[in-house]
Amino acid sequence: LVLVLSLSLPVADCPGTSSAEAGRAAACQGCPNQKLCAAGAAAPDPAEAAELRERLRSVKHTILVLSGKGGVGKSTFSALLAHGLAADEAKQVALLDIDICGPSIPKMMGLEGEQVHQSGSGWSPVYVEENLGVMSVGFLLSSPDDAVIWRGPKKNGLIKQFLRDVDWGEIDYLIVDTPPGTSDEHLSIVQYLSATRIDGAVIITTPQEVSLQDVRKEINFCHKVKLPIIGVVENMSGFICPKCKNESQIFPPTTGGAEKMCQNLNVSLLGKVPLDPQIAKSCDKGQSFLSEAPESPATSSYRNIIQRIKEYCDQHHFHEEKII
Amino acid sequence: ERSNLAGVRHILLVLSGKGGVGKSTISTELALSLWHSGKKVGILDVDLCGPSIPRMFRVQDNDVHQCDSGWVPVFVDQDKSISLMSIGFLLEKPDDAVVWRGPKKNALIKQFVADVAWGDLDFLIVDTPPGTSDEHISTVEALRPYKPLGAILVTTPQAVSVGDVRRELTFCKKTGLRVLGIVENMSGFVCPHCSECTNIFSKGGGEELAKHAGVPFLGCVPLDPQLSQSLEEGRDFIQEFPKSSAFPALAHIAQQILDGTSQRSS
């Protein structure tokens, strides 16, 4: 199979397997699935879309945690956001981990080894607290060595199941933790969640350019799919030596860090969080860093950021009655 | 017709289940170390969503040209002994997001493996994105006829990373990819002001995993702001900072790879 690709890559992306353009857009040239899409084989099933809408009807706020870059602290942040929002016992919080290949959430929430149970109304989330439920592929794997070696379509199928078959109940906040990148998982979650309304995306980065260059792409992705951006969090922003109290920039902001990027791209900088060895320890132990290290400067940063996200959601309060 | 990989002596993949542990960093530093040992090295960057390699060599503004046998890789040095291929070179604007589903990614990876005119190389290092999905399956399938040397797995010390890398080890087993060893990156930070070592991302998980899985442990690389800075600026860390704390570890990893290949040929 010899594909002719121009050496200056066309920017046009996959229009979406369910879009009207599927198989017909300029970007479809050379894609092995072009014929399939053009024939409408991948078109969304309207009954399926209705089913998703029904399931997600009782979700008040949805927040996606994204980053173009891996290892910047998406899962860490998602876990802490979940804990932070669930501190209000009157609120029901759901944390959905759609990183199919590298599901970190079970470990971070202290739920390693838990399995998913089925009931008449669907899959039960695994509860950390009464008001904090979690779902991840991690719960479907029987061994920590099990690898999920799946191509895109199969991953998409599981993500759909997570939204359709999990009995979340009434939720105030649905937090979706994602893998790094701008690919199947990201396109699919935005597509499936179009049945409900996504309040917005929180984008995580670290200060250095090697992260920012990926995060700018993620910001562009959000614009492309019309996903509002709540703001950016700069993680690993400096390290204070516990002995001499001097600060080191381990991941130097050589191009101005998240602050400059946010200015240039006109997005909000929600806050900067310094490195703290206790964060990694808490994640590994499955404990909330916010509770384990309440005096840490990182904790105050996280709490401020969570507060800003709460305020953003409150401003965009959404009625339960959705217009279909 | 001679395949474009016919002149490549050793192919090695740099993998991790986990993102942000330093795959591209290790790929880059390994390439530089091998180059300083007199080897001709190429890096194939199959991370299509987050291509980090071009900037690490300060060639992010370069273009890719065609020749009779395919695409000419981007040369980093005058002697043309370090060459690179990445989707980063094909983007019109550096902030353009490559929002592709699996099948389109797979098609480009097949082209990257078959159509880059590498010429004669001692080592082709393949830098990968995190995970065990389309890119990884396609890359391993496309490279299989060329019998890769194996894979280096990179992790950071903490359990959350090791947890993902365990799954990557399973991927290697299932796809018949030999594991050359595990690198524990970001293993400790020595404060430049007072020399106190803090284990910011914990310690020891990589070494433990290697022992548990019965694969070689290639070493611990500490956090070093000089290394981060070099990578940010696309500078030659191996040449500029031989006294840094990360240098001995990186040099040792390269040496083990070289020793491994000389054992194989003898």
Side-chain angles (χ1 to χ4, degrees), chain A residues 128-242:
Chain A
V128 178
E129 313 281 349
E130 252 188 71
N131 68 332
L132 174 46
V134 180
M135 182 52 64
S136 166
V137 76
F139 300 135
L140 304 174
L141 301 171
S142 42
S143 153
D145 294 319
D146 284 345
V148 180
I149 308 172
W150 289 358
R151 290 193 183 274
K154 208 162 169 184
K155 291 194 284 187
N156 300 335
L158 184 60
I159 293 171
K160 203 189 305 187
Q161 272 201 282
F162 277 162
L163 293 171
R164 191 191 60 206
D165 296 344
V166 174
D167 181 21
W168 294 108
E170 306 265 332
I171 311 174
D172 293 283
Y173 299 101
L174 171 62
I175 301 161
V176 184
D177 184 31
T178 65
T182 49
S183 189
D184 284 275
E185 298 89 332
H186 313 87
L187 283 167
S188 294
I189 195 70
V190 168
Q191 185 188 317
Y192 300 144
L193 286 178
S194 62
T196 177
R197 217 206 73 210
I198 307 179
D199 288 58
V202 175
I203 302 186
I204 314 288
T205 186
T206 47
Q208 76 276 43
E209 178 59 24
V210 79
S211 295
L212 299 175
Q213 70 183 2
D214 288 351
V215 171
R216 288 190 202 98
K217 296 186 209 289
E218 198 76 15
I219 291 174
N220 274 324
F221 166 81
C222 290
H223 292 324
K224 271 199 170 87
V225 299
K226 301 196 181 12
L227 181 55
I229 297 173
I230 301 175
V232 172
V233 174
E234 184 181 271
N235 244 350
M236 307 196 198
S237 195
F239 173 68
I240 309 257
C241 176

Side-chain angles (χ1 to χ4, degrees), chain B residues 77-130:
Chain B
D77 60 318
Q78 298 272 28
D79 298 327
K80 299 193 173 182
S81 37
I82 302 190
S83 48
L84 315 175
M85 182 52 66
S86 167
I87 201 177
F89 299 126
L90 305 177
L91 299 173
E92 280 173 13
K93 281 178 273 164
D95 296 344
D96 285 339
V98 172
V99 186
W100 292 357
R101 288 190 183 273
K104 203 164 174 183
K105 290 198 281 189
N106 299 335
L108 184 61
I109 286 173
K110 280 203 189 100
Q111 275 205 279
F112 269 174
V113 171
D115 294 347
V116 177
W118 295 106
D120 291 326
L121 289 178
D122 293 295
F123 289 94
L124 177 62
I125 296 169
V126 183
D127 184 27
T128 63

Side-chain angles (χ1 to χ4, degrees), chain A residues 103-121:
Chain A
S104 305
I105 292 293
K107 187 174 205 56
M108 290 188 179
M109 301 299 281
L111 299 173
E112 240 187 347
E114 293 283 343
Q115 301 276 291
V116 168
H117 300 285
Q118 275 208 336
S119 75
S121 35

